[in-house]
Amino acid sequence: MNLILFGPPGAGKGTQAKYLVKKLNNFQISTGDMLRDEIQKNSEIGKKIVNDMDDGKFVSDQIVNTLIENVLLDPQKKNRLIFDGYPRSLSQAQNLDILLKKTDQKIDFVFFLNVNKETIIKRIEQRKILEKRSDDDLNTTIKRFDKYMETTKPVLDFYSTNPNFYEIDGASKIEEITAKIDNFIRV
């Protein structure tokens, strides 16, 4: 089973993805984690990512799509993927469709964790203290939230007409969100 979890930065995608990985014995595909890994390696891609993130921008679709393609081509991960924060743009969603067809896979469920800006700011401030993530700066968070909402509207439109699309109130408690997802996937 392949799933997509999307929502603004701080919506709880990672928390739900980690739960689903254990429940389904799947693989979490977090572009954020993949990008942070490139930064930690101090690769050329990592340096470009740092510049974009510091400016509150998203990393280019080309970089992200290349990382995603490598994952989809891994036979051990076929039909066992939980996309955490990908796709973020219409071109990424279209690219994912092409790659899924190429690898004879499909998306079984799409969950949009909808959360307002005020809730996100509170969560990011807590996460910065607890996880000490370098990308959790308040000004950067606000830029990323606004850019996310602007960029993701076409992605919402792209997926929202599918019968496997579900919008969930991401401001709910973690357990409530988990229960709603469990109810939809029925596993």
Side-chain angles (χ1 to χ4, degrees):
M1 174 183 309
N2 292 326
L3 299 104
I4 294 175
L5 293 165
F6 75 105
K13 301 176 298 290
T15 300
Q16 295 303 321
K18 284 174 180 54
Y19 164 77
L20 290 164
V21 163
K22 289 179 185 171
K23 181 178 180 82
L24 303 173
N25 194 29
N26 278 22
F27 297 91
Q28 179 181 2
I29 308 306
S30 165
T31 52
D33 288 347
M34 294 166 84
L35 297 172
R36 281 186 286 278
D37 186 49
E38 290 295 323
I39 291 168
Q40 195 169 28
K41 290 180 193 172
N42 202 26
S43 68
E44 287 305 311
I45 292 175
K47 291 173 186 172
K48 171 72 175 126
I49 294 166
V50 167
N51 290 337
D52 287 347
M53 288 173 81
D54 286 348
D55 291 340
K57 297 178 191 171
F58 287 116
V59 178
S60 77
D61 286 349
Q62 181 183 3
I63 291 171
V64 175
N65 289 341
T66 299
L67 296 172
I68 293 296
E69 183 172 14
N70 292 338
V71 170
L72 284 169
L73 293 172
D74 183 341
Q76 292 182 322
K77 295 179 181 170
K78 186 173 184 172
N79 290 314
R80 296 177 61 205
L81 302 170
I82 298 169
F83 293 95
D84 169 5
Y86 180 89
R88 286 189 179 185
S89 68
L90 184 57
S91 67
Q92 287 180 359
Q94 292 166 335
N95 181 70
L96 180 59
D97 265 8
I98 291 166
L99 291 174
L100 288 166
K101 287 176 185 150
K102 181 178 170 180
T103 59
D104 192 31
Q105 299 184 69
K106 67 181 175 90
I107 298 297
D108 297 286
F109 295 95
V110 179
F111 297 107
F112 172 54
L113 304 181
N114 194 1
V115 187
N116 66 36
K117 189 188 290 189
E118 293 75 28
T119 302
I120 294 297
I121 289 170
K122 287 177 191 169
R123 286 184 181 173
I124 294 295
E125 287 172 343
Q126 288 177 326
R127 188 172 76 181
K128 184 175 184 175
I129 294 165
L130 296 174
E131 297 180 24
K132 296 178 176 42
R133 281 184 32 183
S134 61
D135 58 330
D136 283 344
D137 170 74
L138 183 58
N139 290 332
T140 303
T141 297
I142 292 169
K143 281 184 197 174
R144 289 175 65 211
F145 179 88
D146 292 341
K147 182 69 175 172
Y148 177 87
M149 296 310 283
E150 173 190 321
T151 307
T152 307
K153 175 74 172 103
V155 179
L156 270 174
D157 295 341
F158 183 80
Y159 285 116
S160 64
T161 58
N162 293 350
N164 64 350
F165 173 88
Y166 301 95
E167 183 172 338
I168 297 173
D169 179 5
S172 301
K173 293 181 179 173
I174 293 170
E175 302 79 24
E176 293 170 2
I177 296 169
T178 301
K180 288 178 184 176
I181 292 173
D182 279 346
N183 187 46
F184 291 125
I185 64 174
R186 296 191 178 128
V187 174

